[in-house]
Amino acid sequence: MLTKQDDRTGKRKKDFIWVERVSYLLDNKFNIGGFRFGLDPLLNLIPYAGQIISFGTSILLVLIMLRNGAGSKVAVKMLLNVIYDAFFGAIPFFGQVFDFFHKANQKNIILLREHYFEEKHQGSAKKLLISILIILLVVCIALFYFMWLLSGWFIRLLGTIF
């Protein structure tokens, strides 16, 4: 008779296999001259819609693994991979090239495999989230300071013209 634990483990393995297949389709399905790529860079050839479909699918993969008990630390790392991919993938031309080389879904599969089968990336994500917030705060302060300097320069420039 199957216990709840066996049932959860079986569902986790089944979902992991499904996530692995979708990830393979998005990042490594095709091979041309030894160079592997998937649907992700091809979808990004469709303005806006391709990026939205790719980002949505990647987020769905993360949510499925969260539902199956992925820890907060690995979940934050996976979300950072997806956000990083979406942010840089949205930049015209650079994003096309970036998507051929940065395979966020494949990196997430590696993180999941390490989490589930090698017991890595366990524990809380508090330190990681605090580090990210500090970095964002420093970047925002630097950006505001730069804008302050730029506006002062612009006002002085207008003062010399008029």
Side-chain angles (χ1 to χ4, degrees):
M1 187 183 271
L2 287 176
T3 64
K4 282 187 176 185
Q5 182 67 21
D6 292 335
D7 188 41
R8 273 189 251 137
T9 303
K11 181 161 177 42
R12 180 184 290 170
K13 285 182 181 179
K14 181 180 171 186
D15 282 348
F16 182 77
I17 290 169
W18 183 82
V19 166
E20 201 170 32
R21 285 181 185 160
V22 173
S23 174
Y24 178 77
L25 178 67
L26 287 172
D27 289 342
N28 291 321
K29 177 69 176 171
F30 309 108
N31 184 4
I32 296 179
F35 181 74
R36 300 202 68 82
F37 63 95
L39 289 178
D40 190 19
L42 299 178
L43 284 171
N44 286 336
L45 294 174
I46 305 168
Y48 304 109
Q51 188 69 20
I52 290 169
I53 291 168
S54 178
F55 180 70
T57 305
S58 296
I59 290 292
L60 177 67
L61 298 178
V62 173
L63 290 175
I64 288 171
M65 295 323 299
L66 276 173
R67 182 184 71 190
N68 284 303
S72 64
K73 190 172 185 178
V74 75
V76 168
K77 288 181 178 186
M78 290 169 58
L79 287 172
L80 287 174
N81 276 338
V82 171
I83 291 169
Y84 180 69
D85 183 52
F87 179 77
F88 287 110
I91 300 170
F93 183 69
F94 174 77
Q96 306 298 331
V97 175
F98 179 79
D99 277 336
F100 274 100
F101 296 103
H102 183 263
K103 300 172 189 299
N105 297 305
Q106 199 61 38
K107 289 179 181 183
N108 285 347
I109 291 297
I110 292 168
L111 284 172
L112 282 172
R113 189 173 289 121
E114 289 173 349
H115 175 71
Y116 285 139
F117 305 117
E118 298 173 18
E119 301 294 323
K120 292 183 181 178
H121 314 292
Q122 302 292 328
S124 174
K126 286 180 185 176
K127 290 180 184 177
L128 184 60
L129 289 174
I130 289 171
S131 300
I132 292 169
L133 289 175
I134 289 171
I135 290 169
L136 286 175
L137 182 65
V138 168
V139 167
C140 286
I141 290 170
L143 185 62
F144 285 129
Y145 180 71
F146 176 71
M147 289 171 51
W148 177 266
L149 291 176
L150 187 63
S151 64
W153 173 79
F154 187 68
I155 289 171
R156 283 192 302 278
L157 180 66
L158 286 176
T160 59
I161 294 174
F162 297 107

